[in-house]
Amino acid sequence: MATIYDVSVLAGVSLATVSRVMNNNTKVSEKTKQKVLSAMDQLGYRPNTIAQSLASSRSNSVGVLVSQLDGPYYGPMMTEIETALRAGNKHVIIAAGHSVESQEKDGVEFLMSRGCDALILDVEAVDDEYLIKLHQGDTPIVLINRYIEEISDSCVYLDNDLGGYLATKHILSHGHKDIAYISGPKFKLDAQDRLLGHKRALKEFDVEFDEQLCFEGDFKEHSGSLAMEHLLSVKKTFTAVVCANDQMASGAIAVCLEKGMKIPDELSFVGYDNIPFPQYISPKLTTINNPIHEMGKMAAFWVLKHVYNDPKASVENTFIPTLIVRDSATKPDREF
């Protein structure tokens, strides 16, 4: 088995230079780097990552815990995290917590047991106290899509209250007064904040929140379909539907179209997240932009800056939602 010494001899450079190349040190010239890489390739040399970890006290791996692994929301976030860390010569280990407290804690313990240098956590079920205590431990953590005042410097998050407010204000500005709402799971903090923003906009326009026109979904398309069936069965007047995410909005609109309703002429919709596919349906969905891919990148940059001392990593902690106006909302024309 080839050794680092064999590589240095074949490449005609010092052991220190080979080590710099393996650690992606920018002080090595491109010509020298290619000589070392060529020697490694000829010898079939593979660095001993365990030995490297022991020598540097770093595993060069970062743990990422997300709520789920599928869907159009988490994929872009994980892609940006992995891309940014790989560019910094780091690798990711991914676990899923499924929004269950015990599974989120198990995920954290698993990632820490793998010797991760830091953890990027998108968690919803564990409480603030647990995360504050975790933050005080030896393994650095950064939270994504969550804000805790006591550890705010380690949080990358979106102002979901403002997002909920902007979505509903857009509907109200078109003259709607009878408005249904499809919320996310109310135990989730982002769903809570979006609902608070919705209610704040209603209050500003002197419109009462109607509990009978509120349905709690689970952020999936099917729950949007169930919500629409329920809302239409209530037999109460409403001319618009505000949805806590685009997936539920898509499910709700599908039910309306199946019933022969014209959107937005008969019923206006606004979603939340700005995921790709609602841009290509008819009508194109008006929504709130949630830059989850950028938040993923910022979480990775936070790790590169605070854990690996990368001077080029610039971190933005707070993201502001914006309204994306398309075709799914108009002035009320007919009541249901």
Side-chain angles (χ1 to χ4, degrees):
M1 182 180 293
T3 67
I4 187 173
Y5 176 79
D6 299 325
V7 174
S8 70
V9 170
L10 182 59
V13 299
S14 68
L15 290 170
T17 298
V18 176
S19 179
R20 290 191 190 100
V21 171
M22 289 193 299
N23 289 303
N24 204 26
N25 192 308
T26 56
K27 293 181 180 180
V28 181
S29 70
E30 185 62 28
K31 181 179 179 180
T32 301
K33 179 180 178 180
Q34 291 306 318
K35 285 171 60 178
V36 172
L37 293 176
S38 177
M40 292 172 64
D41 185 57
Q42 290 181 54
L43 294 169
Y45 175 76
R46 295 292 180 269
N48 187 326
T49 56
I50 295 176
Q52 286 180 311
S53 297
L54 291 172
S56 65
S57 298
R58 295 289 190 196
S59 66
N60 287 325
S61 62
V62 177
V64 180
L65 180 61
V66 295
S67 293
Q68 60 190 58
L69 300 175
D70 62 342
Y73 183 79
Y74 291 100
M77 180 182 78
M78 289 188 286
T79 296
E80 290 292 343
I81 291 172
E82 196 275 339
T83 300
L85 289 173
R86 182 174 286 273
N89 203 32
K90 315 302 176 189
H91 294 274
V92 300
I93 302 174
I94 297 174
H98 303 289
S99 301
V100 177
E101 181 181 7
S102 61
Q103 293 187 43
E104 288 184 348
K105 289 182 177 180
D106 285 346
V108 168
E109 293 298 324
F110 164 74
L111 294 171
M112 293 180 71
S113 74
R114 307 307 296 175
C116 294
D117 296 330
L119 303 182
I120 296 174
L121 305 178
D122 177 70
V123 288
E124 300 171 312
V126 293
D127 58 25
D128 289 357
E129 184 179 352
Y130 170 81
L131 292 169
I132 293 170
K133 185 175 181 180
L134 192 64
H135 178 267
Q136 295 167 347
D138 295 330
T139 304
I141 69 166
V142 55
L143 303 183
I144 189 167
N145 202 30
R146 183 160 177 173
Y147 176 80
I148 300 175
E149 185 175 357
E150 290 86 344
I151 55 174
S152 58
D153 288 345
S154 298
C155 299
V156 178
Y157 62 96
L158 179 76
D159 187 341
N160 278 297
D161 180 289
L162 176 60
Y165 169 84
L166 292 174
T168 301
K169 183 178 179 180
H170 179 70
I171 288 294
L172 290 163
S173 68
H174 279 81
H176 295 274
K177 295 182 182 295
D178 300 306
I179 302 170
Y181 188 80
I182 303 176
S183 81
K186 293 181 181 177
F187 78 90
K188 295 191 175 187
L189 295 175
D190 52 358
Q192 294 174 21
D193 288 342
R194 293 173 193 184
L195 180 54
L196 286 173
H198 169 72
K199 291 180 177 180
R200 181 159 64 90
L202 292 178
K203 185 175 181 180
E204 185 177 297
F205 280 72
D206 294 320
V207 174
E208 289 190 16
F209 176 75
D210 191 338
E211 289 284 357
Q212 289 186 281
L213 289 178
C214 181
F215 185 94
E216 181 178 355
D218 64 3
F219 281 147
K220 301 287 184 63
E221 291 90 343
H222 181 62
S223 70
S225 298
L226 292 176
M228 200 68 243
E229 294 283 3
H230 169 78
L231 292 170
L232 292 173
S233 71
V234 171
K235 303 299 182 182
K236 292 201 70 173
T237 297
F238 63 99
T239 59
V241 185
V242 177
C243 303
N245 82 338
D246 292 345
Q247 289 173 260
M248 294 191 299
S250 299
I253 290 173
V255 168
C256 294
L257 296 177
E258 288 169 4
K259 294 181 181 295
M261 297 168 62
K262 295 181 180 179
I263 309 299
D265 296 339
E266 298 180 64
L267 196 59
S268 288
F269 279 86
V270 62
Y272 199 114
D273 281 343
N274 193 30
I275 59 175
F277 67 79
Q279 301 178 38
Y280 304 103
I281 62 175
S282 181
K284 296 179 179 180
L285 184 64
T286 293
T287 187
I288 298 296
N289 188 46
N290 180 359
I292 189 60
H293 59 293
E294 285 295 322
M295 287 193 281
K297 182 190 295 184
M298 285 301 114
F301 282 0
W302 187 98
V303 171
L304 291 171
K305 177 180 180 179
H306 293 283
V307 179
Y308 299 112
N309 301 313
D310 184 345
K312 301 187 298 296
S314 178
V315 180
E316 182 179 350
N317 291 77
T318 308
F319 286 80
I320 304 301
T322 54
L323 178 71
I324 307 296
V325 178
R326 297 194 183 106
D327 308 324
S328 62
T330 189
K331 294 180 180 180
D333 180 56
R334 180 177 172 186
E335 297 181 345
F336 290 88

